[in-house]
Short mmCIF file of all heavy atoms in Angstrom, two decimals:
data_model
loop_
_atom_site.label_atom_id
_atom_site.label_comp_id
_atom_site.label_asym_id
_atom_site.label_seq_id
_atom_site.Cartn_x
_atom_site.Cartn_y
_atom_site.Cartn_z
N MET A 554 -3.75 8.35 19.35
CA MET A 554 -3.81 8.67 17.94
C MET A 554 -4.88 9.73 17.75
O MET A 554 -5.98 9.60 18.21
CB MET A 554 -4.16 7.35 17.19
CG MET A 554 -4.33 7.57 15.71
SD MET A 554 -4.87 6.11 14.77
CE MET A 554 -3.65 4.89 15.14
N SER A 555 -4.52 10.77 17.05
CA SER A 555 -5.44 11.85 16.77
C SER A 555 -6.46 11.37 15.74
O SER A 555 -6.25 10.36 15.03
CB SER A 555 -4.71 13.08 16.26
OG SER A 555 -4.21 12.84 14.96
N GLU A 556 -7.55 12.11 15.62
CA GLU A 556 -8.59 11.82 14.65
C GLU A 556 -8.01 11.85 13.23
O GLU A 556 -8.32 11.02 12.38
CB GLU A 556 -9.75 12.76 14.80
CG GLU A 556 -10.95 12.40 13.93
CD GLU A 556 -11.58 11.05 14.30
OE1 GLU A 556 -11.64 10.68 15.48
OE2 GLU A 556 -12.01 10.38 13.35
N ASP A 557 -7.12 12.81 12.99
CA ASP A 557 -6.47 12.95 11.70
C ASP A 557 -5.62 11.74 11.40
O ASP A 557 -5.66 11.18 10.29
CB ASP A 557 -5.62 14.22 11.65
CG ASP A 557 -5.01 14.47 10.27
OD1 ASP A 557 -5.76 14.45 9.29
OD2 ASP A 557 -3.78 14.63 10.23
N GLU A 558 -4.82 11.30 12.37
CA GLU A 558 -3.99 10.10 12.20
C GLU A 558 -4.87 8.87 11.97
O GLU A 558 -4.54 8.00 11.17
CB GLU A 558 -3.08 9.90 13.39
CG GLU A 558 -1.91 10.84 13.44
CD GLU A 558 -0.94 10.67 12.29
OE1 GLU A 558 -0.61 9.49 11.93
OE2 GLU A 558 -0.51 11.67 11.71
N LEU A 559 -5.96 8.76 12.73
CA LEU A 559 -6.84 7.63 12.54
C LEU A 559 -7.43 7.60 11.11
O LEU A 559 -7.50 6.57 10.46
CB LEU A 559 -8.00 7.67 13.56
CG LEU A 559 -9.04 6.57 13.44
CD1 LEU A 559 -8.45 5.20 13.57
CD2 LEU A 559 -10.16 6.79 14.46
N SER A 560 -7.80 8.76 10.61
CA SER A 560 -8.34 8.84 9.26
C SER A 560 -7.30 8.43 8.23
O SER A 560 -7.61 7.67 7.30
CB SER A 560 -8.77 10.28 9.00
OG SER A 560 -9.26 10.43 7.68
N LYS A 561 -6.04 8.83 8.43
CA LYS A 561 -4.98 8.45 7.51
C LYS A 561 -4.71 6.93 7.60
O LYS A 561 -4.47 6.29 6.59
CB LYS A 561 -3.71 9.22 7.82
CG LYS A 561 -3.83 10.68 7.45
CD LYS A 561 -2.59 11.46 7.84
CE LYS A 561 -2.80 12.93 7.49
NZ LYS A 561 -1.70 13.76 8.01
N PHE A 562 -4.75 6.40 8.81
CA PHE A 562 -4.54 4.96 9.02
C PHE A 562 -5.62 4.17 8.30
O PHE A 562 -5.32 3.19 7.58
CB PHE A 562 -4.54 4.66 10.53
CG PHE A 562 -4.49 3.19 10.86
CD1 PHE A 562 -3.31 2.50 10.74
CD2 PHE A 562 -5.61 2.51 11.25
CE1 PHE A 562 -3.25 1.13 11.02
CE2 PHE A 562 -5.55 1.19 11.56
CZ PHE A 562 -4.37 0.51 11.45
N ILE A 563 -6.88 4.56 8.48
CA ILE A 563 -8.00 3.88 7.81
C ILE A 563 -7.85 3.95 6.29
O ILE A 563 -8.06 2.99 5.56
CB ILE A 563 -9.32 4.42 8.29
CG1 ILE A 563 -9.54 4.03 9.77
CG2 ILE A 563 -10.48 3.93 7.44
CD1 ILE A 563 -10.69 4.76 10.45
N GLY A 564 -7.42 5.12 5.81
CA GLY A 564 -7.19 5.29 4.38
C GLY A 564 -6.15 4.35 3.83
O GLY A 564 -6.28 3.77 2.79
N LYS A 565 -5.05 4.16 4.61
CA LYS A 565 -4.02 3.28 4.18
C LYS A 565 -4.50 1.82 4.17
O LYS A 565 -4.20 1.07 3.25
CB LYS A 565 -2.77 3.41 5.07
CG LYS A 565 -1.69 2.44 4.63
CD LYS A 565 -0.39 2.64 5.36
CE LYS A 565 0.66 1.66 4.88
NZ LYS A 565 1.98 1.91 5.45
N VAL A 566 -5.23 1.44 5.20
CA VAL A 566 -5.78 0.08 5.24
C VAL A 566 -6.67 -0.16 4.04
O VAL A 566 -6.63 -1.21 3.40
CB VAL A 566 -6.52 -0.18 6.57
CG1 VAL A 566 -7.26 -1.52 6.52
CG2 VAL A 566 -5.53 -0.18 7.75
N ASN A 567 -7.48 0.84 3.71
CA ASN A 567 -8.35 0.73 2.53
C ASN A 567 -7.52 0.56 1.26
O ASN A 567 -7.87 -0.26 0.40
CB ASN A 567 -9.30 1.89 2.43
CG ASN A 567 -10.39 1.88 3.48
OD1 ASN A 567 -10.76 0.82 4.01
ND2 ASN A 567 -10.91 3.05 3.79
N GLN A 568 -6.45 1.35 1.13
CA GLN A 568 -5.58 1.25 -0.02
C GLN A 568 -4.96 -0.15 -0.13
O GLN A 568 -4.91 -0.75 -1.17
CB GLN A 568 -4.45 2.28 0.04
CG GLN A 568 -4.91 3.69 -0.22
CD GLN A 568 -5.04 3.98 -1.70
OE1 GLN A 568 -4.09 3.87 -2.47
NE2 GLN A 568 -6.24 4.34 -2.13
N LEU A 569 -4.53 -0.68 1.06
CA LEU A 569 -3.94 -2.03 1.06
C LEU A 569 -4.96 -3.09 0.66
O LEU A 569 -4.66 -4.01 -0.09
CB LEU A 569 -3.36 -2.33 2.44
CG LEU A 569 -2.08 -1.60 2.79
CD1 LEU A 569 -1.79 -1.73 4.28
CD2 LEU A 569 -0.91 -2.10 1.98
N ASN A 570 -6.19 -2.95 1.16
CA ASN A 570 -7.23 -3.90 0.81
C ASN A 570 -7.55 -3.84 -0.69
O ASN A 570 -7.72 -4.86 -1.34
CB ASN A 570 -8.52 -3.65 1.59
CG ASN A 570 -8.39 -4.13 3.03
OD1 ASN A 570 -7.66 -5.07 3.32
ND2 ASN A 570 -9.10 -3.48 3.93
N ASP A 571 -7.58 -2.63 -1.24
CA ASP A 571 -7.82 -2.48 -2.68
C ASP A 571 -6.66 -3.07 -3.52
O ASP A 571 -6.88 -3.70 -4.54
CB ASP A 571 -8.00 -1.01 -3.05
CG ASP A 571 -9.28 -0.40 -2.52
OD1 ASP A 571 -10.17 -1.18 -2.10
OD2 ASP A 571 -9.42 0.84 -2.52
N LEU A 572 -5.43 -2.88 -3.02
CA LEU A 572 -4.26 -3.44 -3.71
C LEU A 572 -4.39 -4.96 -3.74
O LEU A 572 -4.19 -5.58 -4.75
CB LEU A 572 -2.99 -3.00 -3.02
CG LEU A 572 -1.70 -3.44 -3.69
CD1 LEU A 572 -0.59 -2.43 -3.40
CD2 LEU A 572 -1.24 -4.81 -3.28
N ILE A 573 -4.70 -5.56 -2.59
CA ILE A 573 -4.84 -7.02 -2.53
C ILE A 573 -5.93 -7.50 -3.46
O ILE A 573 -5.78 -8.51 -4.17
CB ILE A 573 -5.08 -7.45 -1.05
CG1 ILE A 573 -3.80 -7.23 -0.25
CG2 ILE A 573 -5.50 -8.92 -0.99
CD1 ILE A 573 -3.99 -7.33 1.24
N ALA A 574 -7.07 -6.79 -3.48
CA ALA A 574 -8.16 -7.17 -4.37
C ALA A 574 -7.73 -7.10 -5.84
O ALA A 574 -8.17 -7.90 -6.66
CB ALA A 574 -9.36 -6.31 -4.10
N SER A 575 -6.84 -6.16 -6.15
CA SER A 575 -6.41 -5.99 -7.54
C SER A 575 -5.58 -7.18 -8.00
O SER A 575 -5.45 -7.42 -9.23
CB SER A 575 -5.61 -4.70 -7.70
OG SER A 575 -4.28 -4.83 -7.28
N LEU A 576 -5.02 -7.96 -7.08
CA LEU A 576 -4.25 -9.13 -7.46
C LEU A 576 -5.09 -10.18 -8.17
O LEU A 576 -4.57 -10.94 -9.00
CB LEU A 576 -3.51 -9.72 -6.26
CG LEU A 576 -2.53 -8.81 -5.52
CD1 LEU A 576 -1.93 -9.55 -4.33
CD2 LEU A 576 -1.49 -8.22 -6.43
N ASP A 577 -6.36 -10.22 -7.82
CA ASP A 577 -7.29 -11.15 -8.48
C ASP A 577 -7.64 -10.66 -9.90
O ASP A 577 -7.75 -11.44 -10.83
CB ASP A 577 -8.57 -11.35 -7.67
CG ASP A 577 -8.33 -12.11 -6.37
OD1 ASP A 577 -7.38 -12.92 -6.36
OD2 ASP A 577 -9.05 -11.85 -5.43
N THR A 578 -7.80 -9.36 -10.02
CA THR A 578 -8.13 -8.74 -11.32
C THR A 578 -6.93 -8.73 -12.28
O THR A 578 -7.10 -8.94 -13.49
CB THR A 578 -8.61 -7.29 -11.10
OG1 THR A 578 -9.68 -7.30 -10.15
CG2 THR A 578 -9.10 -6.66 -12.38
N PHE A 579 -5.74 -8.54 -11.73
CA PHE A 579 -4.51 -8.49 -12.49
C PHE A 579 -3.51 -9.52 -11.90
O PHE A 579 -2.61 -9.12 -11.13
CB PHE A 579 -3.89 -7.08 -12.45
CG PHE A 579 -4.82 -5.96 -12.90
CD1 PHE A 579 -5.51 -5.19 -11.97
CD2 PHE A 579 -5.03 -5.73 -14.22
CE1 PHE A 579 -6.36 -4.18 -12.37
CE2 PHE A 579 -5.87 -4.72 -14.68
CZ PHE A 579 -6.54 -3.93 -13.72
N PRO A 580 -3.68 -10.77 -12.30
CA PRO A 580 -2.86 -11.84 -11.68
C PRO A 580 -1.33 -11.64 -11.82
O PRO A 580 -0.57 -12.09 -10.97
CB PRO A 580 -3.29 -13.12 -12.43
CG PRO A 580 -4.59 -12.77 -13.07
CD PRO A 580 -4.61 -11.28 -13.27
N GLU A 581 -0.90 -10.94 -12.85
CA GLU A 581 0.53 -10.71 -13.03
C GLU A 581 1.13 -9.89 -11.91
O GLU A 581 2.31 -9.95 -11.61
CB GLU A 581 0.81 -10.08 -14.40
CG GLU A 581 0.35 -8.64 -14.55
CD GLU A 581 -1.13 -8.49 -14.88
OE1 GLU A 581 -1.87 -9.48 -15.00
OE2 GLU A 581 -1.59 -7.29 -15.06
N ARG A 582 0.27 -9.08 -11.24
CA ARG A 582 0.73 -8.27 -10.14
C ARG A 582 1.25 -9.11 -8.97
O ARG A 582 2.19 -8.69 -8.27
CB ARG A 582 -0.38 -7.34 -9.64
CG ARG A 582 -0.68 -6.22 -10.61
CD ARG A 582 -1.72 -5.31 -10.05
NE ARG A 582 -1.93 -4.17 -10.94
CZ ARG A 582 -2.78 -3.19 -10.73
NH1 ARG A 582 -3.51 -3.18 -9.59
NH2 ARG A 582 -2.89 -2.19 -11.58
N ARG A 583 0.66 -10.26 -8.80
CA ARG A 583 1.10 -11.12 -7.67
C ARG A 583 2.60 -11.47 -7.83
O ARG A 583 3.37 -11.39 -6.87
CB ARG A 583 0.28 -12.39 -7.62
CG ARG A 583 0.61 -13.31 -6.49
CD ARG A 583 -0.33 -14.51 -6.43
NE ARG A 583 -1.68 -14.12 -6.06
CZ ARG A 583 -2.07 -13.97 -4.78
NH1 ARG A 583 -1.25 -14.20 -3.81
NH2 ARG A 583 -3.32 -13.66 -4.55
N LYS A 584 3.02 -11.81 -9.04
CA LYS A 584 4.41 -12.14 -9.28
C LYS A 584 5.30 -10.92 -9.11
O LYS A 584 6.42 -10.99 -8.59
CB LYS A 584 4.60 -12.73 -10.67
CG LYS A 584 4.03 -14.12 -10.83
CD LYS A 584 4.22 -14.66 -12.23
CE LYS A 584 3.56 -16.01 -12.35
NZ LYS A 584 3.63 -16.54 -13.72
N GLU A 585 4.81 -9.79 -9.62
CA GLU A 585 5.59 -8.54 -9.50
C GLU A 585 5.83 -8.18 -8.05
O GLU A 585 6.95 -7.84 -7.66
CB GLU A 585 4.88 -7.40 -10.23
CG GLU A 585 4.89 -7.50 -11.72
CD GLU A 585 4.16 -6.32 -12.34
OE1 GLU A 585 4.75 -5.22 -12.41
OE2 GLU A 585 3.02 -6.51 -12.78
N ILE A 586 4.80 -8.24 -7.25
CA ILE A 586 4.94 -7.84 -5.85
C ILE A 586 5.75 -8.88 -5.07
O ILE A 586 6.53 -8.51 -4.17
CB ILE A 586 3.58 -7.55 -5.20
CG1 ILE A 586 3.75 -6.59 -4.04
CG2 ILE A 586 2.85 -8.81 -4.78
CD1 ILE A 586 2.46 -5.95 -3.61
N ALA A 587 5.64 -10.14 -5.46
CA ALA A 587 6.41 -11.21 -4.80
C ALA A 587 7.91 -11.06 -5.09
O ALA A 587 8.74 -11.50 -4.29
CB ALA A 587 5.91 -12.56 -5.22
N SER A 588 8.23 -10.41 -6.19
CA SER A 588 9.65 -10.25 -6.57
C SER A 588 10.33 -9.10 -5.82
O SER A 588 11.56 -8.97 -5.89
CB SER A 588 9.81 -10.07 -8.07
OG SER A 588 9.33 -8.79 -8.48
N CYS A 589 9.58 -8.31 -5.12
CA CYS A 589 10.15 -7.19 -4.35
C CYS A 589 10.96 -7.73 -3.16
O CYS A 589 10.54 -8.70 -2.51
CB CYS A 589 9.06 -6.27 -3.86
SG CYS A 589 8.21 -5.39 -5.20
N ASP A 590 12.05 -7.05 -2.87
CA ASP A 590 12.94 -7.46 -1.78
C ASP A 590 12.79 -6.68 -0.49
O ASP A 590 13.24 -7.08 0.55
CB ASP A 590 14.41 -7.35 -2.21
CG ASP A 590 14.76 -8.35 -3.28
OD1 ASP A 590 14.29 -9.50 -3.26
OD2 ASP A 590 15.54 -7.96 -4.19
N ASN A 591 12.08 -5.51 -0.59
CA ASN A 591 11.97 -4.67 0.59
C ASN A 591 10.72 -3.78 0.50
O ASN A 591 10.06 -3.69 -0.55
CB ASN A 591 13.24 -3.86 0.83
CG ASN A 591 13.55 -2.96 -0.35
OD1 ASN A 591 12.75 -2.16 -0.81
ND2 ASN A 591 14.77 -3.09 -0.88
N HIS A 592 10.44 -3.12 1.57
CA HIS A 592 9.28 -2.24 1.71
C HIS A 592 9.26 -1.15 0.65
O HIS A 592 8.23 -0.89 0.04
CB HIS A 592 9.24 -1.66 3.11
CG HIS A 592 8.13 -0.71 3.36
ND1 HIS A 592 8.27 0.67 3.25
CD2 HIS A 592 6.85 -0.91 3.70
CE1 HIS A 592 7.13 1.26 3.51
NE2 HIS A 592 6.25 0.31 3.79
N GLU A 593 10.41 -0.53 0.41
CA GLU A 593 10.48 0.57 -0.54
C GLU A 593 10.10 0.12 -1.93
O GLU A 593 9.48 0.86 -2.68
CB GLU A 593 11.89 1.22 -0.50
CG GLU A 593 12.17 2.00 0.75
CD GLU A 593 12.52 1.12 1.95
OE1 GLU A 593 12.92 -0.05 1.76
OE2 GLU A 593 12.36 1.62 3.10
N GLN A 594 10.55 -1.07 -2.31
CA GLN A 594 10.20 -1.59 -3.63
C GLN A 594 8.70 -1.85 -3.76
O GLN A 594 8.11 -1.54 -4.79
CB GLN A 594 10.95 -2.90 -3.92
CG GLN A 594 12.45 -2.66 -4.15
CD GLN A 594 13.20 -3.98 -4.35
OE1 GLN A 594 12.68 -5.06 -4.13
NE2 GLN A 594 14.45 -3.86 -4.83
N VAL A 595 8.11 -2.37 -2.72
CA VAL A 595 6.65 -2.65 -2.72
C VAL A 595 5.90 -1.32 -2.84
O VAL A 595 4.97 -1.18 -3.63
CB VAL A 595 6.20 -3.41 -1.47
CG1 VAL A 595 4.67 -3.48 -1.40
CG2 VAL A 595 6.83 -4.80 -1.44
N VAL A 596 6.32 -0.32 -2.07
CA VAL A 596 5.66 1.00 -2.10
C VAL A 596 5.79 1.61 -3.48
O VAL A 596 4.81 2.14 -4.03
CB VAL A 596 6.27 1.91 -1.01
CG1 VAL A 596 5.82 3.36 -1.22
CG2 VAL A 596 5.91 1.44 0.38
N SER A 597 6.97 1.53 -4.06
CA SER A 597 7.20 2.12 -5.38
C SER A 597 6.36 1.42 -6.46
O SER A 597 5.73 2.07 -7.31
CB SER A 597 8.67 2.01 -5.73
OG SER A 597 8.95 2.53 -7.00
N LEU A 598 6.30 0.07 -6.43
CA LEU A 598 5.52 -0.67 -7.37
C LEU A 598 4.04 -0.35 -7.21
O LEU A 598 3.33 -0.11 -8.18
CB LEU A 598 5.76 -2.16 -7.19
CG LEU A 598 4.99 -3.12 -8.12
CD1 LEU A 598 5.34 -2.82 -9.57
CD2 LEU A 598 5.30 -4.54 -7.75
N ALA A 599 3.58 -0.36 -5.95
CA ALA A 599 2.16 -0.07 -5.70
C ALA A 599 1.78 1.32 -6.23
O ALA A 599 0.66 1.51 -6.73
CB ALA A 599 1.88 -0.18 -4.21
N LYS A 600 2.72 2.24 -6.11
CA LYS A 600 2.44 3.60 -6.60
C LYS A 600 2.20 3.59 -8.12
O LYS A 600 1.36 4.36 -8.61
CB LYS A 600 3.60 4.53 -6.21
CG LYS A 600 3.30 5.98 -6.42
CD LYS A 600 4.37 6.87 -5.83
CE LYS A 600 3.83 8.26 -5.70
NZ LYS A 600 4.53 9.08 -4.80
N THR A 601 2.93 2.75 -8.85
CA THR A 601 2.72 2.70 -10.30
C THR A 601 1.35 2.14 -10.64
O THR A 601 0.83 2.34 -11.74
CB THR A 601 3.77 1.85 -10.98
OG1 THR A 601 3.65 0.45 -10.65
CG2 THR A 601 5.20 2.34 -10.70
N TRP A 602 0.77 1.42 -9.69
CA TRP A 602 -0.62 0.87 -9.87
C TRP A 602 -1.68 1.82 -9.35
O TRP A 602 -2.88 1.51 -9.40
CB TRP A 602 -0.72 -0.49 -9.16
CG TRP A 602 0.20 -1.55 -9.65
CD1 TRP A 602 0.84 -1.62 -10.85
CD2 TRP A 602 0.61 -2.72 -8.92
NE1 TRP A 602 1.61 -2.75 -10.92
CE2 TRP A 602 1.47 -3.46 -9.74
CE3 TRP A 602 0.31 -3.18 -7.63
CZ2 TRP A 602 2.05 -4.67 -9.31
CZ3 TRP A 602 0.86 -4.40 -7.25
CH2 TRP A 602 1.73 -5.11 -8.05
N GLY A 603 -1.26 2.92 -8.78
CA GLY A 603 -2.21 3.94 -8.30
C GLY A 603 -2.55 3.85 -6.81
O GLY A 603 -3.48 4.48 -6.38
N PHE A 604 -1.72 3.13 -6.08
CA PHE A 604 -1.94 2.97 -4.61
C PHE A 604 -0.93 3.75 -3.83
O PHE A 604 0.26 3.75 -4.16
CB PHE A 604 -1.93 1.50 -4.21
CG PHE A 604 -2.94 0.67 -4.90
CD1 PHE A 604 -2.61 -0.16 -5.97
CD2 PHE A 604 -4.27 0.69 -4.50
CE1 PHE A 604 -3.54 -0.91 -6.62
CE2 PHE A 604 -5.25 -0.08 -5.16
CZ PHE A 604 -4.88 -0.86 -6.21
N ASP A 605 -1.38 4.40 -2.76
CA ASP A 605 -0.48 5.19 -1.91
C ASP A 605 -0.40 4.51 -0.56
O ASP A 605 -1.27 4.72 0.32
CB ASP A 605 -1.04 6.63 -1.78
CG ASP A 605 -0.13 7.53 -0.92
OD1 ASP A 605 1.03 7.14 -0.70
OD2 ASP A 605 -0.63 8.56 -0.48
N ILE A 606 0.60 3.67 -0.41
CA ILE A 606 0.72 2.87 0.81
C ILE A 606 2.03 3.14 1.53
O ILE A 606 2.42 2.41 2.46
CB ILE A 606 0.61 1.34 0.53
CG1 ILE A 606 1.74 0.91 -0.41
CG2 ILE A 606 -0.77 1.02 -0.08
CD1 ILE A 606 1.84 -0.61 -0.51
N GLY A 607 2.74 4.20 1.16
CA GLY A 607 4.08 4.39 1.67
C GLY A 607 4.19 4.94 3.10
O GLY A 607 5.12 4.61 3.82
N ARG A 608 3.25 5.73 3.53
CA ARG A 608 3.38 6.35 4.82
C ARG A 608 3.04 5.36 5.92
O ARG A 608 1.97 4.74 5.97
CB ARG A 608 2.42 7.56 4.94
CG ARG A 608 2.59 8.36 6.18
CD ARG A 608 1.69 9.61 6.14
NE ARG A 608 1.85 10.40 7.32
CZ ARG A 608 1.17 10.22 8.45
NH1 ARG A 608 0.26 9.28 8.53
NH2 ARG A 608 1.37 11.00 9.48
N ARG A 609 3.98 5.19 6.80
CA ARG A 609 3.74 4.26 7.95
C ARG A 609 3.14 5.07 9.07
O ARG A 609 3.39 6.27 9.23
CB ARG A 609 5.09 3.67 8.40
CG ARG A 609 5.75 2.84 7.35
CD ARG A 609 7.07 2.29 7.85
NE ARG A 609 7.83 1.74 6.74
CZ ARG A 609 8.88 1.00 6.90
NH1 ARG A 609 9.33 0.70 8.12
NH2 ARG A 609 9.54 0.56 5.87
N TRP A 610 2.31 4.40 9.87
CA TRP A 610 1.66 5.09 10.96
C TRP A 610 2.72 5.69 11.87
O TRP A 610 3.70 5.09 12.24
CB TRP A 610 0.79 4.11 11.77
CG TRP A 610 0.06 4.81 12.85
CD1 TRP A 610 -1.13 5.45 12.70
CD2 TRP A 610 0.45 5.00 14.20
NE1 TRP A 610 -1.49 6.02 13.89
CE2 TRP A 610 -0.54 5.73 14.82
CE3 TRP A 610 1.54 4.59 14.93
CZ2 TRP A 610 -0.46 6.11 16.15
CZ3 TRP A 610 1.62 4.96 16.26
CH2 TRP A 610 0.63 5.72 16.87
N GLY A 611 2.48 6.95 12.23
CA GLY A 611 3.39 7.67 13.12
C GLY A 611 4.50 8.42 12.38
O GLY A 611 5.18 9.22 12.96
N ASP A 612 4.69 8.09 11.10
CA ASP A 612 5.72 8.80 10.29
C ASP A 612 5.24 10.22 10.03
O ASP A 612 4.03 10.48 9.90
CB ASP A 612 5.94 8.14 8.93
CG ASP A 612 6.78 6.89 9.01
OD1 ASP A 612 7.29 6.59 10.11
OD2 ASP A 612 6.91 6.24 7.96
N LYS A 613 6.17 11.12 9.96
CA LYS A 613 5.84 12.51 9.59
C LYS A 613 5.52 12.55 8.11
O LYS A 613 6.08 11.80 7.34
CB LYS A 613 7.01 13.43 9.91
CG LYS A 613 7.41 13.48 11.39
CD LYS A 613 6.36 14.13 12.22
CE LYS A 613 6.81 14.11 13.66
NZ LYS A 613 5.74 14.34 14.59
N PRO A 614 4.56 13.44 7.76
CA PRO A 614 4.19 13.51 6.33
C PRO A 614 5.35 13.99 5.47
O PRO A 614 6.26 14.57 5.88
CB PRO A 614 3.06 14.53 6.33
CG PRO A 614 2.88 15.02 7.68
CD PRO A 614 3.82 14.33 8.57
#
């Protein structure tokens, strides 16, 4: 993994941690995210909350 990829990976992990922490601040989000059926729905919903979690490690930008 290049340094650039590592940096992007760490950034995504941080975004995921922040998203999880937001579930305590905004309890309604837990139900919204639980209602998603697939990865794309979760990514889309998270984006409306200000989180960028869509890029998977190794995916091209």
Side-chain angles (χ1 to χ4, degrees):
M554 175 184 304
S555 70
E556 188 63 37
D557 184 53
E558 285 295 317
L559 177 60
S560 178
K561 290 175 183 174
F562 174 76
I563 292 169
K565 179 173 179 174
V566 170
N567 288 336
Q568 287 279 301
L569 288 167
N570 285 331
D571 291 346
L572 185 151
I573 291 167
S575 81
L576 300 180
D577 291 330
T578 305
F579 304 99
E581 69 279 2
R582 288 183 176 181
R583 183 175 291 275
K584 289 180 184 176
E585 288 181 75
I586 205 163
S588 71
C589 294
D590 293 321
N591 58 55
H592 177 263
E593 289 77 20
Q594 288 177 348
V595 172
V596 168
S597 180
L598 180 60
K600 191 170 196 160
T601 68
W602 299 338
F604 300 102
D605 182 16
I606 61 167
R608 187 174 180 272
R609 299 179 193 192
W610 184 84
D612 284 353
K613 300 291 180 199

